[in-house]
Amino acid sequence: TAIATATQTAGRGRLGREWETPSGTALAVSFLIRDFPIEAGAGALGVGWLPLLAGSAVAAAVRAELPGARVAVKWPNDVHVFDLGQDPAERGGIGRKICGILCELLPGFVDGKGDAIVGAGVNLLIPRDALPTERATSLVAEGVPGAVAATVDDPAGAELFDRVLAAAGAELLRLASLAQSDADAARARVLADSATLGARVRVHLPGGEVVEGLARSLAANGSLVVEREGRE
């Protein structure tokens, strides 16, 4: 199940932040993923990997619109675009943000599995001078071929909206299934799409502590392993 809109006025971001989608210029979508494993085990990835799998799915959809572009996932829940030939690790894994992702589990688990909502917002037709920060971008700002529409009310804009929605949704379903049938293959896909691994990062922990170090790997539950002063 997917619910999508091009105008969102009461969206939610991480840590309870409010989120608003500029009218007619972006894709805001929520996918319902059913019966996903809560914990890793028996050859399957746990739900902690779901935001990363969603990031890989959106990254694939964005790449389809920007042939040859370097599109990668900033842990844990953003999709960024980088200049051609640019190593994301050299920039601390930070490029130009084109998508944010938020996943939430629904109440009630059966046999170690549960349902989750995967929410994503993809900037489509926001002009460069209308983007909220210099670190943000959109498909039109990146020069996507044929993106000459002002909003999704234009036929070209509607086609772009539908293509990105269909591509991201189909790939998310494929990766969610792969995560349960072949954990190694799904994990390898996430690692290949990561902009964070190998980069020096600054991590803000829930208690307010800030940790700086080298992003080395992902743990079994999908959390980031950071090496700092010779320890992890």
Side-chain angles (χ1 to χ4, degrees):
T1 301
I3 298 177
T5 181
T7 302
Q8 184 182 48
T9 59
R12 292 171 53 200
R14 291 183 66 228
L15 306 177
R17 299 186 183 100
E18 295 183 356
W19 184 268
E20 181 174 333
T21 301
S23 180
T25 58
L27 163 65
V29 57
S30 290
F31 297 105
L32 172 61
I33 303 296
R34 292 195 181 278
D35 299 324
F36 200 88
I38 304 302
E39 303 290 342
L45 299 181
V47 75
W49 289 80
L50 196 51
L52 303 171
L53 295 166
S56 285
V58 173
V62 171
R63 287 190 203 105
E65 300 297 331
L66 296 171
R70 179 71 169 99
V71 184
V73 181
K74 177 180 174 291
W75 187 94
N77 66 330
D78 290 340
V79 179
H80 285 216
V81 179
F82 297 82
D83 292 334
L84 290 177
Q86 186 178 64
D87 182 358
E90 293 180 356
R91 293 183 54 84
I94 299 174
R96 297 179 294 279
K97 180 178 174 180
I98 198 167
C99 171
I101 294 165
L102 179 68
C103 299
E104 290 191 358
L105 279 173
L106 297 178
F109 310 129
V110 178
D111 296 329
K113 293 186 176 183
D115 299 340
I117 301 293
V118 176
V122 186
N123 296 334
L124 302 179
L125 297 169
I126 306 174
R128 187 172 298 279
D129 59 5
L131 290 164
T133 72
E134 62 180 12
R135 287 187 173 180
T137 193
S138 67
L139 285 176
V140 71
E142 293 295 327
V144 62
V148 294
T151 73
V152 298
D153 291 329
D154 298 327
E159 291 177 6
L160 179 65
F161 183 98
D162 288 346
R163 285 200 308 271
V164 174
L165 173 59
E171 186 66 357
L172 176 58
L173 286 177
R174 189 186 76 81
L175 290 176
S177 177
L178 187 66
Q180 299 182 59
S181 63
D182 190 342
D184 288 341
R187 186 182 296 107
R189 169 63 181 277
V190 167
L191 296 179
D193 282 339
S194 177
T196 304
L197 297 182
R200 296 203 63 83
V201 297
R202 180 181 294 109
V203 181
H204 296 263
L205 300 180
E209 181 185 1
V210 178
V211 172
E212 296 187 16
L214 185 66
R216 282 293 191 189
S217 62
L218 297 176
N221 64 359
S223 59
L224 187 65
V225 178
V226 177
E227 178 184 319
R228 48 175 178 162
E229 298 178 355
R231 60 194 181 94
E232 294 181 345

